[in-house]
Amino acid sequence: MTTSVQKIIIVGGGAGGLELATQLGNKLGKHKKAEITLVDRNQTHLWKPLLHEIAAGSMDEGIDALSYLAHARNHHFRFQLGTLTDIDRDTKTLRLAEIRDEQGNLLVPERSLGYDTLVMALGSSSNDFGTPGVKDNCIFLDNPHQARRFHNEMLNLFLKYTSGQQPQQKVNIAIVGGGATGVELSAELYNAVKELHSYGYESLNNDALNVTLVEAGERILPALPARISAAAELELTKLGVRVLTRTMVTSADPEGLHTKSGELINADLMVWAAGIKAPDFIKDIGGLETNRINQLVVTPELQTTRDQDIYAIGDCASCALPEGGFVPPRAQSAHQMASCVLHNILARRKGKAQQAYIYKDHGSLVSLSRFSTVGSLMGNLMRGSMMVEGRIARMVYISLYRMHQIALHGYFKTLLMMLSGSINRVIRPKLKLH
């Protein structure tokens, strides 16, 4: 392949997609060696593992969200607001849907963008497995809009409770899915209650909150070692969370969740955080090979199996592990895949061999808000894994987000952002109250 200017398009500005666009912009776009374009349906980026904090109010999206337009300008790539609808592999073009305002007025008509190399980094959404009533009665936590919706409904419930209209009842919140999102949100809710109590909701305390965490599997946090799952469940139980394992939800309605055993879990607010799938429109898009949850099947070099000019990274990619199974949908996977595709795109430009992606499990950490942090470190870098908890685990958990920021902004700007964050924690409320 020649080193003439080529068009590289990345669809999806999540952790992997934005890091890749940033690095390609710095290496190729800055020197006019390639035109780098990032496409996303949102104007801003927020690290997805933080959505539960937006939902509970312990993080203010307005402060921590990153503008794609501003970031693109600073890192020599272009940003296009839009939603992918189709790929024409014969003409090497992708199609973006029209954009309308809230009143339905047309803002931007349908567009076509040409590419030489395309990277699909669309992430994933929650998988309701076709469970009746879930879409109509549960909130998903796939994007900031849904997190804001949960936050507003949570505040309304707490306001209704403290008004004295129903003094004998509790605020019932049910969360389906015992993975990291469900576990972390459960803990954040109790932190929210504590902060609201200090701001004048005097009748609101842990006894007023009834959180039920429902998991169909044998234990919560099934991707982590059993001893860490047990430690997390113990911490949640101490807070007051009712943890139900081996419990399958068969339907949802305005009253709550119905389980296979016949129980009705009463809930004023329900969150579905069980399972993931790639967006439905990816299924067979452009004639590319997909699996049963719509993920694009990729080669070890992260190229789609039917088109070597299209790569896929992150949650929307189905990448087999040599030892069996598939690369798990984690932020660290997306980060590593972005680095691999960066190397491979640069290698192809120079006519060099590409490298196969090797998943490195650095462990997983789960934050239980201000109460505790538990997890495992090193993963497959050592025999077994090392369990960590408490202050050390919290420091490592925060460092994962800092690594993402460094990949986007560099060390100096990240240091300034950390300083700004420290100042905001002093001058701003500890909980977003609106």
Side-chain angles (χ1 to χ4, degrees):
M1 183 176 292
T2 64
T3 57
S4 59
V5 174
Q6 65 178 135
K7 295 180 179 179
I8 303 173
I9 296 181
I10 300 145
V11 183
L18 184 56
E19 288 184 15
L20 179 59
T22 301
Q23 298 300 320
L24 284 172
N26 291 340
K27 291 180 179 293
L28 299 179
K30 182 177 182 180
H31 305 291
K32 311 297 183 185
K33 294 180 178 179
E35 292 180 5
I36 318 299
T37 302
L38 175 68
V39 177
D40 197 276
R41 62 172 59 187
N42 299 303
Q43 296 273 16
T44 58
H45 163 82
L46 192 75
W47 202 46
K48 194 171 181 179
L50 297 177
L51 285 177
H52 70 282
E53 295 190 25
I54 301 294
S58 53
M59 173 173 281
D60 189 339
E61 179 199 354
I63 296 174
D64 292 276
L66 180 151
S67 166
Y68 286 124
L69 272 175
H71 192 74
R73 177 183 176 275
N74 292 334
H75 294 277
H76 317 285
F77 66 90
R78 301 174 181 178
F79 172 67
Q80 287 266 8
L81 181 69
T83 300
L84 176 69
T85 58
D86 199 10
I87 300 171
D88 187 330
R89 290 165 49 209
D90 293 330
T91 60
K92 287 199 166 186
T93 58
L94 53 85
R95 194 146 192 86
L96 302 182
E98 63 183 17
I99 301 176
R100 294 182 178 269
D101 62 16
E102 294 180 356
Q103 288 73 41
N105 300 314
L106 182 65
L107 300 177
V108 182
E110 282 189 338
R111 293 154 288 158
S112 292
L113 300 178
Y115 68 87
D116 295 306
T117 299
L118 176 62
V119 182
M120 301 286 279
L122 284 160
S124 62
S125 58
S126 296
N127 191 349
D128 65 5
F129 305 103
T131 307
V134 169
K135 288 182 179 178
D136 296 327
N137 298 286
C138 297
I139 297 177
F140 301 107
L141 287 183
D142 297 323
N143 56 55
H145 172 75
Q146 293 168 337
R148 288 194 300 271
R149 178 188 166 195
F150 176 90
H151 180 67
N152 291 334
E153 293 193 18
M154 177 194 76
L155 290 179
N156 289 341
L157 276 177
F158 289 151
L159 178 62
K160 184 178 181 180
Y161 177 86
T162 55
S163 69
Q165 294 182 54
Q166 299 168 308
Q168 78 284 359
Q169 295 184 2
K170 291 188 174 186
V171 176
N172 297 308
I173 299 177
I175 301 169
V176 182
T181 298
V183 169
E184 292 180 327
L185 179 60
S186 298
E188 284 290 350
L189 289 173
Y190 284 90
N191 180 55
V193 164
K194 173 183 176 297
E195 297 299 338
L196 286 170
H197 179 85
S198 70
Y199 285 118
Y201 284 45
E202 295 180 359
S203 61
L204 192 63
N205 53 40
N206 280 14
D207 293 333
L209 180 62
N210 181 29
V211 176
T212 304
L213 178 62
V214 185
E215 167 58 40
E218 294 186 359
R219 57 187 176 89
I220 62 173
L221 302 174
L224 296 179
R227 63 186 185 281
I228 295 174
S229 298
E233 182 172 346
L234 178 61
E235 292 292 336
L236 291 178
T237 303
K238 288 179 181 177
L239 289 176
V241 179
R242 180 189 178 205
V243 180
L244 298 178
T245 54
R246 302 184 182 89
T247 303
M248 182 174 291
V249 174
T250 54
S251 66
D253 60 32
E255 300 300 317
L257 301 169
H258 296 268
T259 70
K260 191 174 183 179
S261 64
E263 179 185 358
L264 169 63
I265 301 172
N266 291 303
D268 306 300
L269 187 55
M270 292 170 277
V271 174
W272 188 276
I276 65 110
K277 64 178 179 178
D280 290 334
F281 73 88
I282 292 183
K283 186 67 176 176
D284 298 321
I285 191 169
L288 298 172
E289 183 184 2
T290 56
N291 65 8
R292 61 182 179 79
I293 56 172
N294 308 328
Q295 291 175 314
L296 294 163
V297 181
V298 296
T299 67
E301 294 76 24
L302 301 180
Q303 294 164 297
T304 53
T305 53
R306 295 175 184 169
D307 196 323
Q308 64 177 4
D309 292 325
I310 301 179
Y311 295 82
I313 64 173
D315 292 2
C316 75
S318 174
C319 182
L321 293 169
E323 63 272 20
F326 296 87
V327 175
R330 296 179 183 173
Q332 62 175 307
S333 307
H335 170 77
Q336 294 170 18
M337 286 179 166
S339 298
C340 179
V341 169
L342 172 67
H343 175 277
N344 287 346
I345 288 177
L346 296 177
R348 286 188 75 193
R349 283 177 56 86
K350 297 177 181 178
K352 296 182 178 180
Q354 300 184 84
Q355 66 180 17
Y357 169 61
I358 301 174
Y359 173 60
K360 299 179 178 65
D361 184 2
H362 297 306
S364 298
L365 293 164
V366 177
S367 172
L368 304 181
S369 187
R370 63 180 180 83
F371 308 106
S372 181
T373 301
V374 298
S376 62
L377 290 181
M378 304 312 288
N380 59 18
L381 299 183
M382 59 188 297
R383 294 179 182 175
S385 59
M386 177 177 65
M387 181 173 176
V388 293
E389 56 185 322
R391 188 178 298 273
I392 293 177
R394 180 65 181 171
M395 290 173 60
V396 177
Y397 181 86
I398 294 172
S399 74
L400 298 177
Y401 179 43
R402 298 304 179 203
M403 288 171 62
H404 175 60
Q405 290 179 307
I406 289 168
L408 297 179
H409 307 291
Y411 286 95
F412 181 68
K413 281 191 177 180
T414 300
L415 182 61
L416 292 179
M417 294 170 76
M418 292 170 62
L419 178 61
S420 173
S422 299
I423 295 171
N424 280 328
R425 282 193 291 273
V426 174
I427 65 177
R428 294 180 178 273
K430 293 182 179 179
L431 191 78
K432 187 171 170 36
L433 303 171
H434 57 278

